Amino acid sequence: MKRLFKATKLGWAKEKEGIWFDSDDYTEEEAKQEFKEYQGTTERGYPYTGYEYDGQKYHDVTYLGEFEDDEMPHNDTELLDILSKKRKK
């Protein structure tokens, strides 16, 4: 099983990225702690809080949950389908 996060890369493109951690190696809290919070300032002088993981900086990070290896969603539509099926069980 894997713990899945969705993160928005720093920059104007608002590119999203899926980041996962093996559930055997990380608890939910341990996985969340891998994203290091930092304080930054925009080009216009506005302060912001960002997150960094593995050398990549992100605007935001959202924990989506724990998924079976063969049920990992690849986009928002697949995520909604999987979550809907889980609720029906």
Side-chain angles (χ1 to χ4, degrees):
M1 292 195 65
K2 305 239 185 304
R3 300 187 186 285
L4 182 61
F5 292 81
K6 182 164 117 178
T8 306
K9 288 184 177 181
L10 200 61
W12 292 103
K14 299 198 185 240
E15 181 182 350
K16 306 276 187 198
E17 181 172 75
I19 302 163
W20 58 267
F21 298 89
D22 195 310
S23 296
D24 290 338
D25 299 328
Y26 292 87
T27 65
E28 179 180 341
E29 191 59 35
E30 289 170 337
K32 287 179 180 179
Q33 290 174 0
E34 289 294 309
F35 296 94
K36 305 301 181 199
E37 195 173 284
Y38 72 92
Q39 302 300 314
T41 305
T42 66
E43 291 177 2
R44 295 185 178 170
Y46 297 105
Y48 70 91
T49 300
Y51 304 89
E52 185 172 357
Y53 170 72
D54 198 29
Q56 179 66 51
K57 292 186 176 183
Y58 301 97
H59 285 287
D60 57 71
V61 177
T62 304
Y63 180 63
L64 299 177
E66 189 174 34
F67 297 88
E68 295 288 341
D69 293 353
D70 61 346
E71 287 187 345
M72 289 285 286
H74 296 95
N75 55 50
D76 288 342
T77 302
E78 288 182 13
L79 173 65
L80 292 174
D81 288 345
I82 292 167
L83 294 176
S84 176
K85 288 176 186 175
K86 284 184 175 184
R87 287 189 190 122
K88 290 179 182 178
K89 286 183 182 181

